[in-house]
Amino acid sequence: MQWLARIVASSAPAATILVRVIVGSVFLSEGLQKFLFPAQLGVGRFEKIGILWPHVMAPFVGIVEISCGVLILLGLFTRLAALPLIIDMLVAISTTKLPLLIEHGFWNMAHEARIDFSMLLGSIFLLIVGAGSWSLDAHAAQWFRAHSRTRLRFRSAPSP
């Protein structure tokens, strides 16, 4: 249980909720759109950019973005939810923005990649600092602290 307590612990300020809201809502929205508009943003897009097994990977990525986006919005297991989203953004940048850089130059790529880089950096930020004090992680961390003190009292009590 110590590892779980470390994962949910965060000394980040309450204002971290602003980063969580933007990162979580963008990923939630993008994940939903993979199912709502499969030809443009789901399987069709994955086929166009050359992702292997697009009929499997597009729904998989959609589910990851939806579930991790919701976890980040709630501030629940935020650090764990940030990891697959970081991988998601690294793949998105390497498969869509690097070819754009090569074909059309830096400024075109920079314009198209602004949200990708923002989501990548926002996810890295959440991985580093955690969910902040206005989160379910904060409540879980408080519970772990209270219960670890209780266990310590029972262990240190003299035996009769």
Side-chain angles (χ1 to χ4, degrees):
M1 284 301 222
Q2 284 288 3
W3 65 273
L4 191 55
R6 281 190 293 240
I7 288 172
V8 298
S10 174
S11 61
T16 304
I17 194 170
L18 299 174
V19 176
R20 283 191 8 244
V21 166
I22 192 64
V23 170
S25 61
V26 168
F27 278 113
L28 174 60
S29 170
E30 289 298 316
L32 289 171
Q33 290 179 66
K34 284 179 178 52
F35 295 103
L36 295 172
F37 310 106
Q40 300 92 340
L41 302 172
V43 175
R45 175 107 171 111
F46 279 50
E47 285 174 344
K48 181 181 173 188
I49 62 176
I51 299 287
L52 294 176
W53 310 303
H55 289 83
V56 173
M57 293 307 293
F60 173 75
V61 170
I63 289 169
V64 167
E65 290 176 347
I66 291 167
S67 57
C68 291
V70 168
L71 288 172
I72 284 178
L73 281 169
L74 295 172
L76 180 62
F77 302 120
T78 303
R79 286 188 169 104
L80 292 177
L83 281 172
L85 297 178
I86 291 168
I87 295 166
D88 181 28
M89 293 318 304
L90 291 172
V91 171
I93 290 168
S94 65
T95 58
T96 63
K97 302 317 182 268
L98 288 181
L100 198 58
L101 173 66
I102 293 165
E103 292 176 28
H104 299 286
F106 175 78
W107 293 112
N108 194 312
M109 180 277 303
H111 174 73
E112 293 292 325
R114 64 192 185 279
I115 293 175
D116 297 48
F117 287 123
S118 297
M119 293 298 98
L120 175 62
L121 294 177
S123 298
I124 291 170
F125 173 82
L126 292 170
L127 175 67
I128 293 168
V129 304
S133 58
W134 290 352
S135 66
L136 293 177
D137 281 352
H139 291 292
Q142 190 175 27
W143 184 88
F144 280 119
R145 281 192 300 274
H147 282 75
S148 69
R149 281 189 232 121
T150 305
R151 272 186 270 142
L152 285 175
R153 269 190 261 138
F154 285 122
R155 285 186 192 154
S156 62
S159 42

